Amino acid sequence: MIVKSNIFYLCFYVSFGFWFVHCQTANQSSADLVNENTNPIKSSIEWMKIKETVWIHKSFGSFQGKMYESNGLVVLTNKGVVVIDTAWTEPQTEELILGIQSKFQKEILFLIVTHAHDDRMAGVSQFHKRNIPVYSTNLTAKLAKEKGYGKTNPILDIQTRLYAGNHSVEIFFPGHGHSPDNIVVWLPETHILFAGCLVKAIDATDLGNVKDANVVEWENAVKRVLTRYPDAEVVVPGHGNWGKLELLRHTIRLLVSSNH
Ligand SMILES: [Zn+2]
């Protein structure tokens, strides 16, 4: 009996060892893919749970030949799912929608897009195809039309809080920062702030894509968000790891040093 159970434990440790090594290798190779700018672009959506009802959907794309990851949000309510931003490409958005349906077995109630750039809106047509409402501000709707992303319903300037079952989402436009139309999304029930591309990750060393940015006004925009949501427990930037309010102060530091 003792011998038998020892063999059992031996088998268990050996299998666990293989599993552990395998996972380490898998993680390593996906990290390498992001860091070494290799092609092709990683195409599979990754999921990160922040709280029981809030997940990050992570997609991948390239900017100036370099590979980046991009964050959007999925909020689970008792009535269905709210999605914030599409994946970076159409195929990844298709995968995102199918992933939501199979992972959470819930209907998608609506999509909010936080500004008119590829990493927020490239997959809007996948939502239209399924008759899922796509909400934005007026300015994002106008820019999206010009850039060919398709139509959005511009209700967010007037309806700044949307209710979805036992959750709600608040939209705030803090002013021109990364783009003229960048908004942030506040989840009052979970104290999560989706700051999008207005805010940089803690390890970001530059401001990223500044083609449509206003690097002078940007600092004030971040300060307005800091003042409005001082009790944010989690801050999710457009790219990179989520963190706390420190991300906003880090973004201000990057802006100050870029303006001198
Ligand atoms: Zn952007």
Side-chain angles (χ1 to χ4, degrees), residues 4 9 12 15 19 47 63 83 109 119 130 138 147 180 198 205 236:
K4 242 185 182 174
Y9 282 117
F12 173 78
S15 331
W19 173 81
W47 296 91
F63 169 67
V83 182
L109 300 171
D119 53 346
R130 293 169 170 89
N138 261 317
K147 293 177 178 189
L198 181 81
T205 52
V236 182

Side-chain angles (χ1 to χ4, degrees), residues 25-209:
T25 314
N27 283 341
Q28 189 60 48
S29 60
S30 95
D32 287 349
L33 197 57
V34 174
N35 293 334
E36 286 177 4
N37 316 325
T38 48
N39 280 322
I41 289 171
K42 192 170 169 7
S43 63
S44 272
I45 296 286
E46 286 179 7
W47 296 91
M48 289 173 79
K49 190 182 194 175
I50 312 178
K51 293 213 173 172
E52 209 48 53
T53 52
V54 185
W55 291 67
I56 289 177
H57 65 77
K58 205 176 263 296
S59 56
F60 301 86
S62 68
F63 169 67
Q64 293 180 341
K66 204 176 162 189
M67 175 91 171
Y68 289 92
E69 50 183 41
S70 178
N71 301 322
L73 226 57
V74 168
V75 184
L76 308 175
T77 82
N78 60 348
K79 289 278 161 60
V81 175
V82 173
V83 182
I84 299 165
D85 289 335
T86 74
W88 203 323
T89 62
E90 277 194 57
Q92 289 181 93
T93 304
E94 176 75 12
E95 194 200 328
L96 166 68
I97 294 173
L98 296 176
I100 290 170
Q101 287 164 349
S102 67
K103 206 172 163 62
F104 307 114
Q105 311 273 318
K106 281 174 188 272
E107 172 198 358
I108 300 174
L109 300 171
F110 56 84
L111 165 75
I112 288 174
V113 287
T114 61
H115 66 272
H117 277 166
D118 274 6
D119 53 346
R120 311 289 124 202
M121 288 197 72
V124 154
S125 62
Q126 302 300 319
F127 286 82
H128 284 149
K129 210 166 80 179
R130 293 169 170 89
N131 293 319
I132 301 167
V134 178
Y135 299 138
S136 75
T137 60
N138 261 317
L139 183 52
T140 298
K142 183 175 162 274
L143 294 170
K145 202 174 162 199
E146 285 169 17
K147 293 177 178 189
Y149 292 125
K151 267 195 164 178
T152 65
N153 187 350
I155 62 166
L156 299 181
D157 303 277
I158 297 160
Q159 250 177 286
T160 53
R161 191 177 274 220
L162 303 180
Y163 294 89
N166 54 349
H167 277 258
S168 59
V169 289
E170 181 180 290
I171 280 80
F172 177 58
F173 171 66
H176 192 159
H178 160 83
S179 73
D181 58 329
N182 50 204
I183 55 169
V184 301
V185 182
W186 170 242
L187 308 179
E189 287 80 13
T190 49
H191 285 209
I192 292 173
L193 175 69
F194 183 80
C197 297
L198 181 81
V199 167
K200 309 303 294 180
I202 207 74
D203 58 353
T205 52
D206 61 48
L207 296 166
N209 179 2

